[in-house]
Every structure is written in C-alpha cells, then in structure tokens.
Amino acid sequence: MPRPSKHTTARGFESEARVLEACQLPTRPTWMHRSRRATHVEDHSGIDIVVESDVGRLLVQVKSSALGKEHFRPRAFLGIAVVVAARGETAEVLLAKVVRELEPLRAERQKVIEAVRARSGKKKRG
C-alpha cells in the first residue's frame, strides 16, 4: 500500500486536532470525561482519539473525507467510531458527529457491563 503524501498526512493531522478540540468542549455530554490523542501503538491499530467515558475507553478514527471513511478497515473487536471531519466544520458540528458515532458503541458497552454485573450478582450453586 502506498504511503500517504505529506499533504494528506498534514490534512489528517489537522483534522485529528480539530476533532480532539471538539471532544474537549465544555458542551460535550457528561459521559465524555476526557479525550486524548492515541498513543503510537493505538495509532497503528487505526485509533486517532481515545475518549475516556462512563463505560471506559471509546475509540475514534478521524477521516478527512467520506472516501477515506469508506476505505477504512477497522481491527476486529475494537469497535472504532469513524468520524469525517470536513473542512470548515465548527467544533460543535464535529462534536455532534463524534457523539452520534460513539453513542451506539457506548450503548453496546453498557449492555456488556450490565450483563457482567447481573451475572456476578447471582449466587453460585454448589
């Protein structure tokens, strides 16, 4: 696979910075506690931003175009939200996109947490 051009890399880095800024707005949902850039290892798994939430870490991949989103192949079982950050979009618009993409992943995580809690609350037969 060919390496992205310097222009493409710069545009991607700028899009990631804009989405990270949006994730840190005071108007973000209360379940979004903190956000940070992905570590080098996380980045190699297709993660750009990690959102610490009420259900643990939620993962975001940022793309600069819809075509980039179509070509993104997430790693199995990671549950990565893919957000397209178009030029000129405000931080509030980007935050709304992130929330819209993360909400289904958060809901799935909540179901798992509730199932584990329910299972651990049952008495063992013996």
Side-chain angles (χ1 to χ4, degrees):
M1 181 175 204
R3 294 181 68 95
S5 70
K6 287 182 182 180
H7 173 73
T8 301
T9 301
R11 190 174 72 205
F13 190 78
E14 185 262 339
S15 295
E16 290 170 21
R18 290 175 44 236
V19 172
L20 180 60
E21 178 184 326
C23 289
Q24 296 171 341
L25 288 172
T27 55
R28 70 186 182 273
T30 57
W31 55 263
M32 289 177 72
H33 300 171
R34 284 174 296 289
S35 302
R36 63 171 173 80
R37 280 194 182 277
T39 64
H40 184 71
V41 172
E42 290 167 335
D43 186 57
H44 279 302
S45 294
I47 302 161
D48 292 322
I49 296 170
V50 177
V51 175
E52 300 288 344
S53 76
D54 61 341
V55 295
R57 292 181 179 142
L58 298 172
L59 312 174
V60 180
Q61 167 66 220
V62 178
K63 292 297 180 187
S64 301
S65 70
L67 184 62
K69 182 176 181 175
E70 287 178 28
H71 285 84
F72 176 68
R73 292 194 178 115
R75 303 284 174 136
F77 309 112
L78 283 183
I80 302 173
V82 182
V83 175
V84 176
R87 287 183 190 251
E89 288 181 320
T90 66
E92 287 291 344
V93 168
L94 293 173
L95 176 59
K97 285 183 168 187
V98 170
V99 170
R100 184 174 59 244
E101 294 294 327
L102 285 179
E103 282 180 332
L105 298 175
R106 180 174 170 259
E108 283 299 315
R109 184 81 55 85
Q110 284 175 316
K111 286 180 189 175
V112 170
I113 290 169
E114 289 168 9
V116 168
R117 284 183 183 153
R119 204 173 315 134
S120 65
K122 292 181 181 178
K123 293 183 180 178
K124 292 182 181 177
R125 294 182 184 179

